[in-house]
Amino acid sequence: MSETGGANGGVREVKSAARTVELLEVLAARGDRPARLQELADELGVPRSSMYALLQTLVSRGWVRTDVTGSLYGIGIHALLTGTSYLDSDPRVRLVRPYLDEASEALGETIHLGRLDGRDVAYLATRESHEYLRTISRVGRRLPAHAGALGKALLAERPDAELPEGPYEALTPHTHTDRDSLAADLAEIRHRGYSVDREEGVTGIVGFGFALRYDMPAQDAVSCSVPVARLTPAHEQRIVAVMREIRAKVEATVPAGGGSVRWR
């Protein structure tokens, strides 16, 4: 077992638990691309026999699934059940959901709630536009914080000294890929009060992000996404006005820290 730092001092990392978590994260990141035993053993740097035993344990408990041949592995349904429990038990998500509905009704566009998770933003709730049909929900998915309206709104709540050096991953030709470019954008966001993502995360989509300051620094943000083809200057002004009002309502409703339990 190895020593790792933590808020409560040095703690011992349980190697088998860490390996299990790493395996589940690898499988989750692959999405609809199942993995073979040897691929997983190589990626995590563990013996094939140990990986096989771990996979079989997780398959039997529903955290990993395998195909009829037993040669391909993917994330299992218990990961979904646990993720759903996280959303259902989070008081902030419950309190913000009605305001997502309100924004969706007012604007007719896609509205997101996201939370900063390391260098990424995890999508916690979405209200899809009736005009823009998606085949896959974003809830439970992640996007690099530097590449979208939600993430940039939250990065702007933090000092630039916390930004990684880069280069950053380019999701589209418009994504910020260097630290100076992103820092300049964050300075504009702080002055403006909200972020704008002009096709930086998804080609053809513009997003407007608003940090929710019931935590300091903010951990959550809401955004409105709209196809470029529908974004007129008048519509943009209305989006900003409505989302500012939604942010004010959320911050007036959600208690500091989001509830009685202060998670870290």
Side-chain angles (χ1 to χ4, degrees):
M1 293 185 293
S2 61
E3 297 283 341
T4 61
N8 56 347
V11 296
R12 289 190 173 185
E13 181 179 87
V14 180
K15 190 173 182 180
S16 59
R19 181 175 295 172
T20 300
V21 172
E22 290 168 1
L23 171 59
L24 292 173
E25 289 177 342
V26 166
L27 291 174
R30 292 180 67 92
D32 62 354
R33 297 180 295 110
R36 295 186 180 276
L37 171 61
Q38 193 61 56
E39 289 180 280
L40 295 171
D42 292 344
E43 184 159 354
L44 294 181
V46 302
R48 180 186 174 96
S49 58
S50 298
M51 178 57 64
Y52 179 77
L54 177 55
L55 284 167
Q56 296 310 305
T57 299
L58 294 174
V59 167
S60 70
R61 293 177 176 268
W63 285 90
V64 171
R65 58 180 171 174
T66 187
D67 70 332
V68 294
T69 69
S71 60
L72 295 174
Y73 298 92
I75 197 72
I77 194 169
H78 277 213
L80 169 63
L81 300 177
T82 300
T84 301
S85 176
Y86 175 88
L87 295 176
D88 291 343
S89 66
D90 190 291
R92 288 172 289 185
V93 176
R94 291 200 306 270
L95 290 170
V96 172
R97 278 173 177 156
Y99 297 105
L100 302 184
D101 294 334
E102 182 179 336
S104 177
E105 288 294 323
L107 296 171
E109 303 294 354
T110 299
I111 310 298
H112 297 295
L113 168 66
R115 180 166 295 164
L116 195 64
D117 181 25
R119 296 185 181 182
D120 298 330
V121 165
Y123 286 81
L124 303 181
T126 293
R127 299 294 181 266
E128 296 288 357
S129 167
H130 298 301
E131 302 293 331
Y132 179 58
L133 300 178
R134 290 182 183 273
T135 57
I136 300 176
S137 172
R138 280 202 177 187
V139 174
R141 297 177 181 272
R142 299 158 67 92
L143 188 73
H146 70 273
L150 290 168
K152 292 198 301 177
L154 291 168
L155 292 178
E157 298 290 303
R158 291 156 171 78
D160 289 345
E162 296 183 12
L163 293 176
E165 288 301 321
Y168 308 143
E169 178 185 4
L171 301 188
T172 77
H174 304 284
T175 307
H176 292 289
T177 57
D178 67 86
R179 194 175 187 276
D180 290 343
S181 174
L182 178 60
D185 191 4
L186 296 181
E188 293 183 14
I189 292 168
R190 294 181 189 112
H191 176 74
R192 188 193 303 122
Y194 62 92
S195 67
V196 182
D197 154 24
R198 298 193 186 277
E199 302 185 79
E200 297 164 36
V202 180
T203 300
I205 299 296
V206 178
F208 302 87
F210 298 76
L212 301 175
R213 300 185 180 106
Y214 42 67
D215 287 320
M216 296 299 288
Q219 299 294 322
D220 298 347
V222 290
S223 72
C224 176
S225 297
V226 56
V228 172
R230 283 212 308 276
L231 187 62
T232 63
H235 192 31
E236 179 168 338
Q237 289 179 359
R238 174 157 171 74
I239 288 171
V240 171
V242 169
M243 294 303 293
R244 276 179 165 155
E245 182 179 354
I246 291 297
R247 171 168 61 184
K249 289 181 177 181
V250 170
E251 291 178 347
T253 301
V254 179
S260 58
V261 180
R262 298 297 301 271
W263 301 105
R264 64 176 178 87

